[in-house]
Each structure stands twice: as structure tokens, then as C-alpha cells.
């Protein structure tokens, strides 16, 4: 059974799985109410609270790869690339979904010719049924707000709606889910990196220096949270005059390719500045679907083929997990066969409860670290344990019981784990970088003591 609710005051959003930790209050036309929806990230959570990333372990069934498209800067053509890349992947025989992750500035429906201000059908259990156009499954805030109604939301609310648009949708089986990101390196990007098992990110830039500089920042942000950089696309490289055939590099030439060489990441391709791309996008007829033999469509086809090959060769050893320490339920696994000397020093391929007081981590390079769980509790870097500005320790080791232990350990994106401790503390995130350094320091200290 499908349900359509056209209530214009947004009350229909209450149908969204009220029991889910991803549920968000309805949007309100009264912006004063929106000011109340804030989150104090330093506030101590209840002992039973779970990190938001915990739901990622089982809420994306049927989706093989999630690919983000970003740049850090607006106006470089991310949405155009997202739409046409999704269509190019589909033309290779893949099942593809597309999320307009720019909650405050959605543009995907216009490029695909999807009606705005038309709330989607919903399943009886409160999941959204995505719109379909050109064979793509699509979700966007513009489907709810219309063209002229802004979504006036604070950062935490943006994250909640973003999670609903990904995890609260009946996607079915997909080979690829493409996320069209907003500009910047803020709430949306961090929410995705922490709560979604991203297969990688595609960085879009134009050749001009200012775009390249900001795109590098966007790329570095994803590196910090250990999201695989699938490659760089240089958009709007060359304009060919339709009258005389002369080529003009309006935004310069080759900057994206040079950046890929400097940062040692793949260069996926260069797209021309094509008037047909603009026209077809404005009219809801993306160029890959409307003119599949055009130069731009052929470049997209080449990029899609390269991405498919990359993702086919990539091996994700550990999947998102929620691991209950005492019972060992949900253990992430221990993949010794995946270890190799040239492997990453900061990518774990195994977690093990060696005994009730010891957490073992196996790294891709074959190194193993054994951590006393109380030492990990004392090493927490959250704002309750470390003063953020000065780095001064706020946690007094004497206040931590000798028998403190994890209740559960949860993966945080591709770059960290978080603990729900028996003493009620659960606001710390332990990055894999920090854990490797902590293990190295502990080993060096042990040698000195000997």
C-alpha cells in the first residue's frame, strides 16, 4: 500500500518512523521555532545512547556502493556532474539512485524534469518512495519545498534530514547511490563521513586557481576522515565556438589534471564548457540522456567506466559494525589473510576481544596493537576530557574505575570507532590515526621501561 499526503504544513513528516533515531521534527514556516533545534556536542549523553553512526551497520541493505560528489566550492558544476554521471553509470547496466544532499539549495529535480512541491509516496512503515526519472531513483528537498520556499534550518537539522533522505528511503537494490554534496566542508560532509559507509568521493573543480585551491581543501577534508578519493574531474575546461570552431580556455586549462598529479590521486577526465549541457540541464534533459553521442556524454561514459573498474578492484574488508563487548555480538572480524607489508598503517582489518580487558587491532600492514581498555578510556580526546583550545587534560585518572570497560564499540564512517563506556561516558571518537599513534607510543614506553 502506498500513501500520499499533500498536507502543506509539513505535518506529513511525522509519519517518518517516529521510533527511529534518525527521525526529525517537521519543518516549520516559523523560523523562531527552528532556532530551538540545536545540539550541544559537548553535552554528556545518557548511558544508553548510541552514536548516530550505529544505524549505518544495517540500514543500507541492497546498496553496493555510495559515491559522494563534492568540491568544497559552489558553482563548479557538481550537480550537473552528479546527474550525468548517474545516467552514465546506468547506461553501463547499473541500478542507480541519486540523492540531492544539498538540503538548503537543491537543484537536482530541475535538471531531471521532476515536479517540485510534490511530496512523494510513502510505504505503510514510513519509508519514502523515491521519484523516478530517466530510470534514476531520486530524492531531493525540492520535492517538498517547491521552487520559491526556502528550507530554513540549523546545521543539526540539516544532518537529520540528510540522514532521512538516505536511510529513510525505500531504495531497493542499487549498484550505486550518488550523493550530490553542497559546497563547503561542514555539517553535511561530516555527517556523511561519520554515518555512511562511503565507497569514495569524486572531486569536481574548474581549471581556475581559486576553484582549485578550495577543491584541494575539500579533498583534504575527505582524506582526514579516510574516505577514498576516487578521482578529480576538471569541469568547464574548453569552450568551442559553434560558429568558427575556435577553442577558448575561458577558465584556463589543465588545473585539475595538475592537481591530481600533485596529490597523487586519479584524474578521471576533463569536461568541456558546452552550451548544450546548460540548455539540456535547464530543460530537464541531461546531456547524457538527450545527446548520448556528444563529446560531453562520451567523457561521462569514460569516467563512469573508470569508476566501475576502480570500485570493482577495491576491497572493503570491514563493514560498519555495532559490537557488544561483553557478549562479543557483532564482532567486526579478524582478516589476517588481507594483511600485506605494503598495506596502510592506519587501516584496520581486524578487531578482537582478546580478553575482557584487552582490545586487539590488526592493521593492514600486518602490525598488531593490544590496548588495555582502561588506557583507552583515559586516552579519550573529547571536549569533556581535553580542553579544546589549550589541550589541557580535564580528566582525572583517579576518577576512572580500574574495572571500566566498553559496553559497545561502534564504527564511525571509514576513519574511527566510538565507545559506550560502563561509566556512562560515550562522547569520544577514536580515529584510526590516533589509535595507531597510541599503540606506537605504548610500545615505545614499554621498551623504555624494560
Amino acid at each position: 500500500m502506498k500513501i500520499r499526503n499533500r498536507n502543506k504544513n509539513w505535518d506529513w513528516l511525522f509519519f517518518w518512523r517516529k521510533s527511529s533515531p534518525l527521525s526529525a521534527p517537521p519543518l516549520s514556516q516559523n523560523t523562531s521555532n527552528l532556532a530551538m533545534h540545536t545540539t550541544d556536542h559537548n553535552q554528556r549523553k545518557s548511558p544508553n545512547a548510541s552514536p548516530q553512526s550505529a544505524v549505518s551497520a544495517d540500514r543500507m541493505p541492497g546498496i553496493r556502493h555510495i559515491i559522494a560528489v563534492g568540491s568544497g566550492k559552489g558553482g563548479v558544476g557538481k550537480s550537473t556532474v552528479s546527474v550525468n554521471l548517474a545516467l552514465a553509470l546506468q547506461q553501463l547496466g547499473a541500478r542507480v539512485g541519486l540523492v540531492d544532499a544539498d538540503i538548503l539549495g537543491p537543484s537536482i529535480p530541475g535538471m531531471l524534469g521532476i515536479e517540485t512541491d510534490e511530496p512523494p509516496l510513502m510505504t505503510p512503515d514510513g519509508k519514502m518512495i523515491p521519484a523516478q526519472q530517466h530510470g534514476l531513483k531520486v530524492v531531493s528537498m525540492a520535492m517538498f519545498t517547491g521552487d520559491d520556499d526556502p528550507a530554513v534550518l540549523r546545521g543539526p537539522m540539516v544532518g537529520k534530514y540528510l540522514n532521512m533522505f538516505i536511510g529513510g528511503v525505500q531504495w531497493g537494490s542499487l549498484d550505486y547511490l550518488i550523493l550530490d554534496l553542497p559546497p563547503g566542508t561542514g555539517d553535511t560532509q561530516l555527517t556523511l563521513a561519520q554515518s555512511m559507509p562511503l565507497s569514495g568521493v569524486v572531486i569536481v573543480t574548474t581549471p581556475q586557481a581559486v576553484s582549485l585551491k578550495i577543491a584541494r581543501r575539500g579533498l583534504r577534508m575527505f582524506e582526514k576522515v579516510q574516505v577514498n578519493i576516487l578521482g578529480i574531474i576538471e569541469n568547464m575546461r574548453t569552450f568551442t565556438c559553434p560558429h568558427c570552431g575556435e577553442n577558448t580556455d575561458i577558465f584556463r586549462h589543465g588545473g585539475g589534471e595538475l592537481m591530481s598529479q600533485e596529490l597523487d590521486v586519479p584524474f578521471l577526465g576533463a569536461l568541456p564548457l558546452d552550451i548544450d549541457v546548460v540548455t539540456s540541464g535547464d530543460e530537464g534533459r541531461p546531456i547524457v540522456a538527450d545527446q548520448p553521442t556528444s563529446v560531453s556524454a562520451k567523457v561521462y561514459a569514460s569516467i563512469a567506466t573508470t569508476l566501475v573498474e576502480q570500485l570493482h578492484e577495491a576491497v572493503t574488508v570491514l563493514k560498519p559494525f555495532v559490537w557488544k563487548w561483553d557478549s562479543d555480538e557483532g564482532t567486526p572480524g579478524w582478516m589476517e589473510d588481507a594483511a600485506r607489508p605494503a598495506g596502510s598503517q592506519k587501516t584496520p582489518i581486524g578487531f578482537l576481544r582478546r580478553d575482557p580487558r584487552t582490545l586487539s587491532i590488526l592493521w593492514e600492514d600486518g602490525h598488531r596493537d593490544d590496548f588495555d581498555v582502561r588506557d583507552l578510556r583515559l586516552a579519550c580526546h573529547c571536549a569533556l576530557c581535553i580542553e579544546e583550545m589549550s589541550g589541557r587534560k580535564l580528566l582525572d585518572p583517579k576518577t576512572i574505575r580500574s574495572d571500566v570497560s566498553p559496553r559497545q564499540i561502534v564504527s564511525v564512517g571509514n576513519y574511527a570507532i566510538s565507545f559506550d563506556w560502563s561509566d556512562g561516558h560515550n562522547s569520544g571518537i577514536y580515529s584510526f590515526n590516533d589509535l595507531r599513534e597510541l599503540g606506537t607510543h605504548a610500545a615505545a614506553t614499554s621498551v623504555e621501561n624494560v
Side-chain angles (χ1 to χ4, degrees), residues 22 108 150 165 189 211 226-227 247 295 304 318 325 334 423 426:
L22 296 178
I108 295 296
F165 287 176
Q189 288 78 7
S211 175
Q226 293 185 219
V227 173
N247 290 332
V295 173
L318 295 178
W325 181 254
W334 187 267
D423 63 358
N426 55 14

Side-chain angles (χ1 to χ4, degrees), residues 44 377 380 382 384-385 419-428:
R44 186 181 298 270
R377 172 66 182 90
C380 181
C382 81
L384 294 175
C385 299
F419 291 80
D420 185 359
W421 294 99
S422 59
D423 63 358
H425 187 73
N426 55 14
S427 60

Side-chain angles (χ1 to χ4, degrees), residues 20 44 91 101 195 198 217 220 235 302 304 325 358 372 392:
S20 169
R44 186 181 298 270
Q91 289 181 356
S195 61
L198 295 178
R217 295 174 189 164
R220 292 299 193 196
N235 196 19
S302 174
W325 181 254
T358 307
D372 180 270
R392 180 174 62 90

